[in-house]
């Protein structure tokens, strides 16, 4: 039976390249001149530590960060921007976790979306992936389209398409 997997994985090398591009752009921008800007990628825990001089610069840095990662081919939703920034002396700090893998509650949302779509497929949660199987490849392609249109707030990739 045809099947494919829905995953949410981040290529750390591509992300590292995007972060380096952001660092280069920030050093050349006039609005960041003579101000403290630090952006560090923790590859083991998959998170960013951002330090800037003001809240306005934090917003600008996040905009640059998202646009550069999208230009590198990564989804802008990989950054979990829900945590609030905090003041630490003269700088504003923000911890930004990077979403890697599908959490259990997000996997349940995806399975519910697939079941509600009425497509003749089966969806099963396997750790941090969702495997979708069906009799026709057209049904599987319909499921891919539905999950893309749903905009779940997490970056999704579709891999291992087998017929």
């Amino acid at each position: 039976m045809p099947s494919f997997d829905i995953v949410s994985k981040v290529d750390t090398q591509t992300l590292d390249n995007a972060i380096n591009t952001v660092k280069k752009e920030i050093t050349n921008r006039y609005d960041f001149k003579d101000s403290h800007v630090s952006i560090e990628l923790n590859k083991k825990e998959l998170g960013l530590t951002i330090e800037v001089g003001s809240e306005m610069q934090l917003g600008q840095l996040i905009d640059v960060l998202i646009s550069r990662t999208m230009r590198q081919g990564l989804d802008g939703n990989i950054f979990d921007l829900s945590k609030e920034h905090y003041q630490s002396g003269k700088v504003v700090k923000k911890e930004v976790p990077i979403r890697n893998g599908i959490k259990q509650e997000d996997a349940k949302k995806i399975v519910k979306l697939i079941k509600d779509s009425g497509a003749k497929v089966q969806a099963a949660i396997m750790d941090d992936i969702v495997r979708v199987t069906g009799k026709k490849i057209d049904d599987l392609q319909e499921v891919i389209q539905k999950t893309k249109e749903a905009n779940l707030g997490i970056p999704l990739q579709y891999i291992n398409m087998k017929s």
Side-chain angles (χ1 to χ4, degrees), residues 18 22 25-26 29 31-32 39 50 52 55-71 76 79 81 94:
V22 169
E25 181 174 331
I26 293 302
R29 283 185 52 160
D31 51 348
F32 286 98
I39 181 167
I50 299 173
V52 291
E55 289 183 31
M56 182 185 78
Q57 287 179 334
L58 179 65
Q60 292 171 334
L61 181 64
I62 289 172
D63 288 343
V64 171
L65 180 67
I66 291 173
S67 68
R68 290 296 170 217
T69 53
M70 290 177 82
R71 282 188 185 169
F79 302 111
L81 299 171
K94 185 170 179 92

Side-chain angles (χ1 to χ4, degrees), residues 2 5 11 20 32 48 50-52 55 58-59 68 84 91 107 111 113 121 125-127 137 143 155:
D5 296 335
D11 181 18
N20 290 333
F32 286 98
L48 288 176
I50 299 173
E51 294 179 10
V52 291
E55 289 183 31
L58 179 65
R68 290 296 170 217
E84 286 295 316
V91 295
V111 170
L113 176 77
V121 296
I125 300 171
M126 305 171 115
D127 291 332
I137 290 183
V143 168

Side-chain angles (χ1 to χ4, degrees), residues 71-85:
R71 282 188 185 169
Q72 292 282 338
L74 297 172
D75 194 329
N77 289 327
I78 62 172
F79 302 111
D80 185 7
L81 299 171
S82 61
K83 284 188 174 180
E84 286 295 316
H85 59 276

Side-chain angles (χ1 to χ4, degrees), residues 9-144:
K9 296 197 190 271
V10 176
D11 181 18
T12 54
Q13 186 59 49
T14 306
L15 180 63
D16 190 35
N17 292 343
I19 300 299
N20 290 333
T21 307
V22 169
K23 288 179 183 178
K24 284 181 185 176
E25 181 174 331
I26 293 302
T27 57
N28 293 331
R29 283 185 52 160
Y30 180 75
D31 51 348
F32 286 98
K33 201 172 200 85
D34 298 330
S35 63
H36 175 74
V37 177
S38 170
I39 181 167
E40 297 298 322
L41 173 65
N42 184 344
K43 289 184 181 179
K44 288 183 181 176
E45 296 177 17
L46 271 181
L48 288 176
T49 305
I50 299 173
E51 294 179 10
V52 291
S54 68
E55 289 183 31
M56 182 185 78
Q57 287 179 334
L58 179 65
Q60 292 171 334
L61 181 64
I62 289 172
D63 288 343
V64 171
L65 180 67
I66 291 173
S67 68
R68 290 296 170 217
T69 53
M70 290 177 82
R71 282 188 185 169
Q72 292 282 338
L74 297 172
D75 194 329
N77 289 327
I78 62 172
F79 302 111
D80 185 7
L81 299 171
S82 61
K83 284 188 174 180
E84 286 295 316
H85 59 276
Y86 56 94
Q87 194 76 27
S88 176
K90 293 183 178 180
V91 295
V92 176
K93 289 186 177 183
K94 185 170 179 92
E95 302 289 328
V96 182
I98 296 168
R99 296 181 178 129
N100 194 22
I102 299 176
K103 293 180 184 168
Q104 198 68 26
E105 61 267 9
D106 292 332
K108 288 179 181 177
K109 285 181 192 175
I110 293 169
V111 170
K112 184 176 181 338
L113 176 77
I114 292 169
K115 287 185 177 181
D116 290 346
S117 71
K120 296 180 181 179
V121 296
Q122 293 82 36
I125 300 171
M126 305 171 115
D127 291 332
D128 62 344
I129 65 170
V130 176
R131 175 153 297 156
V132 181
T133 58
K135 290 183 179 177
K136 298 179 184 173
I137 290 183
D138 292 344
D139 293 338
L140 298 179
Q141 290 173 339
E142 180 183 325
V143 168
I144 291 173

